[in-house]
Amino acid sequence: ANANSHAFHRAVRGGTQVGAGTCWTWRNQMYELAATLTPDRYHQLARAVFGEMAMAGITCVGDFHYLHHDADGVRYADPQAMDTAIAAAAEEAGIRLTLLDTCYLQGGIDTELSAVQRRFADADADAWAARADSVHRRLSGTRVKVGAAVHSVRAVGPQAMEVVGAWAERHGAPVHAHVSEQMGENEQCRAAYGCSPTQLLADHGLLGQRFTAVHFTHVDQQDIALLGGAGASVCLCPTTERDLADGIGPAAAI
């Protein structure tokens, strides 16, 4: 199983390692790519990515999917166009997919969305939930499982986290979040909310047996105890964390 895929990122693989790349130079490359993708192009790209996974022995993938709308942020005539494109790609490649429909509402804590981020975002958490419901209905009866994701504490505020958690509870669905991938994320979270990202997610009802913390790199014993006490899971991504110079989380303690 590959528990944290972003299928469209495949097209920028290798770019950050040329020169003095970091997570932030990589992110700019990813944004440039994201601006070019249409449902048809994404279907072709995702089919190739999932085909690579299948040939490598991966039979099940969780795709952290936040490429929802057209490049200007306007919904497609078919609001589920991107979702059905990636679902079809997985089916054609012969791999089981959990589509983790991702809530992404702000460009950073108390920061407006940038132009390229608008295609990732819904108007608010309730609009995200309504769209996620429609995706769930569209893919019902297929081999695709629909789950939820909070992109990060940077992109989703506390009240919106509760909406995502309630949606996942209602559907009995998994919910993932990027957690403490960067030290700067921790610093911003503490400045805004007075606690770590893990504590913030716990305080707003996200932690539980269906929750997976992705990366979980810059964490302390309290964070680990919170996650473990909730029976949650962790998805470490060591090659990503190596390539972006983020460091590796405390795997033994986890």
Side-chain angles (χ1 to χ4, degrees):
N2 176 354
N4 186 58
S5 166
H6 307 271
F8 78 95
H9 291 186
R10 171 63 180 86
V12 296
R13 190 169 77 185
T16 301
Q17 292 92 330
V18 179
T22 68
C23 184
W24 308 112
T25 54
W26 167 86
R27 188 171 73 162
N28 290 335
Q29 295 172 4
M30 181 270 288
Y31 284 164
E32 291 173 6
L33 168 67
T36 71
L37 292 174
T38 64
D40 286 343
R41 292 187 76 190
Y42 196 18
H43 172 254
Q44 294 172 26
L45 174 57
R47 183 172 56 190
V49 174
F50 293 148
E52 286 183 324
M53 290 185 195
M55 289 188 289
I58 294 169
T59 63
C60 182
V61 59
D63 201 87
F64 203 106
H65 175 63
Y66 54 88
L67 201 58
H68 299 310
H69 309 300
D70 206 346
D72 55 4
V74 175
R75 288 194 174 191
Y76 288 105
D78 175 2
Q80 290 86 48
M82 282 295 200
D83 309 279
T84 52
I86 195 170
E91 180 68 25
E92 291 165 25
I95 190 168
R96 289 187 298 123
L97 170 68
T98 295
L99 184 67
L100 296 161
D101 195 291
T102 302
C103 186
Y104 193 124
L105 301 176
Q106 56 194 30
I109 296 174
D110 296 326
T111 302
E112 294 292 323
L113 294 159
S114 67
V116 72
Q117 289 170 323
R118 292 191 193 112
R119 74 179 311 183
F120 307 157
D122 296 290
D124 53 33
D126 290 333
W128 169 84
R131 189 183 49 70
D133 277 336
S134 68
V135 173
H136 193 274
R137 288 192 298 270
R138 171 74 67 89
L139 297 177
S140 178
T142 72
R143 293 202 304 166
V144 176
K145 182 173 185 175
V146 178
V150 166
H151 180 272
S152 60
V153 300
R154 292 177 287 106
V156 180
Q159 283 67 50
M161 290 176 190
E162 295 178 5
V163 174
V164 176
W167 187 94
E169 181 73 23
R170 187 165 68 252
H171 291 282
V175 56
H176 290 210
H178 296 140
V179 182
S180 293
E181 181 179 6
Q182 297 280 322
M183 287 184 283
E185 173 188 326
N186 289 354
E187 293 164 2
Q188 292 165 20
C189 188
R190 290 187 184 281
Y193 305 117
C195 63
S196 71
T198 304
Q199 184 69 64
L200 188 68
L201 291 161
D203 289 347
H204 293 278
L206 267 291
L207 300 195
Q209 293 185 354
R210 289 194 304 274
F211 179 77
T212 296
V214 179
H215 299 302
F216 208 59
T217 305
H218 301 286
V219 294
D220 59 22
Q221 286 298 327
Q222 182 178 355
D223 295 328
I224 294 169
L226 279 169
L227 211 70
S233 299
V234 175
C235 175
L236 300 182
C237 306
T239 57
T240 297
E241 288 139 8
R242 174 201 64 198
D243 292 347
L244 301 183
D246 290 335
I248 303 297
I254 293 167

